[in-house]
Amino acid sequence: MIVAAVSSAARSCLVGLLIVIAWCLAPASAGAQGYVPQDIPRSGNLEISVGAGWLPGSDLGTASADETRNPGTGTGPFVLFQADTRTESAPSLHGRFGVYLSRSVSAEGGALFSRPDLATRLTGDAESAPELTATETLTRVVVDGSVLFHFTGASFGGGRGIPFVSAGGGYLRDLHEKNEVAETGHELHFGGGFHYWFGQGKHRAGVRADVGVSRRSGGADAIDTARTIPTLAGSFAYLF
Amino acid sequence: MRPVAAIALAVAIAVTYQAPAFAYLKLGTRVGTRTVTLKWSQLPIRYFITDRGTAGVTSTQLQQAVQAAFATWDGAATAEVSSQFVGFTLTNPTSGDGATTIGFQNRPDLDRTLGATSFMIDTVSGAIVESDIFFNTAFPWSVSAQGETGFFDLQSIAVHEIGHLHGLAHSAMGETELRAGGRRVLAAEAVMFPVAFASGTTLGRTLKADDLAGIGDIYPATSYTRGTGSISGKVTKGGKGVLGAHVVAFDLRLHTLVGGFSLSDDGSFVIAGLSPGPHVVRVEPLDDGDIESFFDATLNVDINFRPQFYEKTVVVPEGGGTSGVELKVVAK
């Protein structure tokens, strides 16, 4: 059984995130800010956001349908066929509701919905059964909570853009095709991104970008013990 | 004692025609108008050992090997079965004496049969009342823990025959090739595969997932049915049902293989005893052994089709079943 490793895409996301964090921690020039400081989200502000993202596929490893070989007919197990399984990439929809605990810290809860395919490529059949990819479509919901730290001192775009880092965890629920079986699991995530607010005043709209990694265990694709996938999303946000 | 009728079987034969689509190939018998699964109604299964050894194996070693073989089935987590060695006897393992007896017999006329199991059945209830096993001394035997080159492992063959004694028929979970003089096993993933491994190996001592599913189907442990599930459906060719197709479910998480058969003219099959989770389903013709090792010779078993996979991953629920799997095969 092959343990899912962090993919190269996930590593790229991690590197990008570290660069963002380093940039956020670097001293900022106060003179660059044109945004009215008191309009920065503060304790008590609420934020809702809706958006879409892209969940990359993940390789869930190769399983060999082995039979015990009769000694003297060869070495190693007799492979009846091989099965390579992966979760295919899929778009996702998400929504979040957050509350600012201070100018730098907010907490939020969210939900994500997607319908990835679970695909198993069947090859190498010992009796020449035609190769085939067996699939099913999952309905995946993730409900999570996160804490965000906003680097108000590293704002950009005249103070409208505010980068952040986030971390949290959630509950994962996969419903199999035909709605007969549901499988649950958990996820932990770490990432970052930025808000970019338009307008001024307590009520304003903006956009939000998120990038990160999600470590998931359980769920329908728990063919392996756990897997780490990169995440990428964009949202429309409203602050009030 | 209620009247009984003797049914002697040289090898396990399943009565399947118009029988319910069982999850695993089990032995059955006609009781009136219905087919009943052969099983012991009372446990532990009490047995005697014929007090006669053969070259290289004493009667005591025979008893120890048989006891170990029984313990293998008694220890199956999927089932609740038990056995009890009563004592040695001077009688041969023959039907009709009222006692389940296991021993050696010289049967040079059966030059391709290592062992065989016979039954006495209560024709009213279908319960097994006696079952006898003989091991053919026309072959060389060994009880060595590591196996002995040129000798057949007694415990391995005993595990297979005691599977029959419990009511299991043959499994088709294996691959063979035709050679001069008969079939050679390339691989098997069930001790109940009808053709034995080469002499010198002890691999047949260990039950596989297919065996565990079978014994659990006949004598289910309390938690077995609740914790497992099933896949059911049909095998069809040109819109018509295929009888005798071997359908296998491969567990993508546990990497185990459990098989079943389409047991009716409409091609219906059920594979039970499956762990919850995603499975791949594959169907193949029954061409790795003599059909008579599995089904009555009068049945119209179709082997003219190509093996193939089902196009969808099938998810087995815990304590339930997934239905509607249709495997549409094509002729070779």
Side-chain angles (χ1 to χ4, degrees):
Chain A
M1 186 177 295
I2 300 172
V3 175
V6 176
S7 66
S8 58
R11 285 197 291 271
S12 299
C13 286
L14 276 174
V15 169
L17 183 60
L18 289 172
I19 292 173
V20 168
I21 293 173
W23 173 53
C24 290
L25 295 176
S29 167
Q33 289 190 20
Y35 208 50
V36 179
Q38 52 264 34
D39 280 348
I40 292 175
R42 64 184 69 192
S43 174
N45 275 142
L46 304 175
E47 175 190 336
I48 59 172
S49 61
V50 291
W54 188 258
L55 292 177
S58 58
D59 183 7
L60 302 179
T62 297
S64 183
D66 292 341
E67 294 181 347
T68 304
R69 187 182 287 279
N70 187 7
T73 64
T75 57
F78 182 94
V79 179
L80 187 58
F81 59 86
Q82 289 219 319
D84 296 278
T85 304
R86 61 177 288 106
T87 307
E88 301 289 9
S89 57
S92 64
L93 297 174
H94 62 262
R96 299 189 192 87
F97 180 81
V99 57
Y100 280 78
L101 304 175
S102 70
R103 290 194 174 198
S104 301
V105 179
S106 65
E108 64 183 17
L112 177 146
F113 173 87
S114 67
R115 300 200 74 215
D117 280 347
L118 190 67
T120 300
R121 182 74 184 154
L122 302 166
T123 59
D125 190 87
E127 294 182 319
S128 301
E131 295 186 353
L132 177 150
T133 299
T135 61
E136 65 147 339
T137 301
L138 304 172
T139 300
R140 170 165 292 169
V141 173
V142 179
V143 177
D144 63 18
S146 307
V147 175
L148 286 71
F149 185 87
H150 305 269
F151 296 96
T152 56
S155 61
F156 59 94
R160 297 179 184 277
I162 305 175
F164 63 83
V165 292
S166 66
Y171 166 83
L172 167 73
R173 186 173 190 269
D174 286 332
L175 189 61
H176 287 278
E177 236 179 71
K178 299 169 78 172
N179 297 337
E180 289 181 348
V181 178
E183 295 191 86
T184 60
H186 300 89
E187 70 94 40
L188 297 172
H189 56 264
F190 172 70
F194 65 88
H195 287 92
Y196 194 90
W197 299 107
F198 304 107
Q200 295 181 354
K202 184 181 178 184
H203 299 260
R204 75 196 79 148
V207 293
R208 170 176 170 172
D210 289 80
V211 64
V213 291
S214 174
R215 179 85 172 156
R216 300 180 173 189
S217 59
D221 51 357
I223 290 175
D224 210 321
T225 53
R227 60 263 179 230
T228 302
I229 60 169
T231 57
L232 181 67
S235 314
F236 291 106
Y238 188 79
L239 185 72
F240 58 97
Chain B
M1 183 180 179
R2 288 177 295 182
V4 298
I7 300 177
L9 301 168
V11 291
I13 297 174
V15 176
T16 60
Y17 188 64
Q18 293 183 349
F22 292 122
Y24 189 88
L25 201 55
K26 300 172 284 191
L27 297 171
T29 186
R30 283 286 186 186
V31 177
T33 59
R34 59 194 179 98
T35 300
V36 176
T37 300
L38 290 190
K39 65 179 292 185
W40 295 84
S41 59
Q42 288 188 328
L43 296 172
I45 300 169
R46 294 161 51 85
Y47 64 93
F48 294 84
I49 297 290
T50 302
D51 195 6
R52 183 176 62 245
T54 187
V57 180
T58 65
S59 59
T60 299
Q61 289 172 323
L62 165 65
Q63 183 270 323
Q64 290 169 345
V66 168
Q67 188 164 17
F70 265 111
T72 298
W73 290 104
D74 292 349
T78 58
E80 290 180 353
V81 290
S82 57
S83 57
Q84 180 184 12
F85 169 59
V86 180
F88 287 96
T89 178
L90 295 177
T91 59
N92 285 323
T94 53
S95 295
D97 61 357
T100 293
T101 306
I102 301 171
F104 286 112
Q105 266 194 314
N106 187 26
R107 295 295 302 270
D109 54 308
L110 301 175
D111 60 351
R112 303 197 65 79
T113 301
L114 288 163
T117 305
S118 58
F119 299 89
M120 286 277 289
I121 304 166
D122 184 324
T123 56
V124 176
S125 67
I128 302 172
V129 296
E130 177 193 331
S131 180
D132 302 301
I133 297 173
F134 77 83
F135 302 105
N136 194 348
T137 58
F139 295 91
W141 295 99
S142 167
V143 293
S144 166
Q146 294 78 33
E148 194 173 345
T149 303
F151 293 78
F152 288 95
D153 180 54
L154 180 61
Q155 186 173 332
S156 294
I157 305 305
V159 169
H160 177 94
E161 295 303 328
I162 291 170
H164 289 319
L165 181 147
H166 281 97
L168 288 171
H170 283 140
S171 167
M173 197 69 72
E175 317 303 322
T176 64
E177 61 179 6
L178 273 174
R179 304 187 88 187
R183 287 189 172 274
R184 180 174 77 154
V185 178
L186 295 174
E189 198 59 18
V191 301
M192 296 311 298
F193 192 67
V195 186
F197 278 177
S199 60
T201 177
T202 61
L203 291 172
R205 296 185 180 189
T206 306
L207 300 180
K208 302 296 185 179
D210 198 48
D211 307 303
L212 293 170
I215 196 68
D217 201 11
I218 303 175
Y219 307 94
T222 304
S223 60
Y224 174 69
T225 306
R226 283 202 307 264
T228 58
S230 66
I231 296 173
S232 61
K234 288 185 180 181
V235 181
T236 59
K237 186 172 75 172
K240 296 182 179 178
V242 175
L243 174 68
H246 184 223
V247 187
V248 175
F250 175 61
D251 189 318
L252 286 170
R253 292 176 184 167
L254 301 179
H255 301 179
T256 54
L257 292 161
V258 177
F261 295 86
S262 57
L263 296 178
S264 56
D265 289 336
D266 68 353
S268 297
F269 71 89
V270 177
I271 308 173
L274 300 173
S275 295
H279 289 72
V280 167
V281 179
R282 177 181 183 275
V283 63
E284 62 176 358
L286 205 59
D287 58 3
D288 280 304
D290 297 331
I291 292 177
E292 293 75 23
S293 294
F294 302 93
F295 295 101
D296 188 273
T298 62
L299 295 177
N300 185 25
V301 173
D302 187 354
I303 60 170
N304 181 26
F305 61 90
R306 295 181 61 191
Q308 70 179 65
F309 296 103
Y310 183 56
E311 70 266 18
K312 298 196 89 55
T313 310
V314 181
V315 182
V316 174
E318 184 175 5
T322 297
S323 59
V325 174
E326 184 172 358
L327 293 144
K328 298 178 181 177
V329 298
V330 296
K332 289 179 182 174

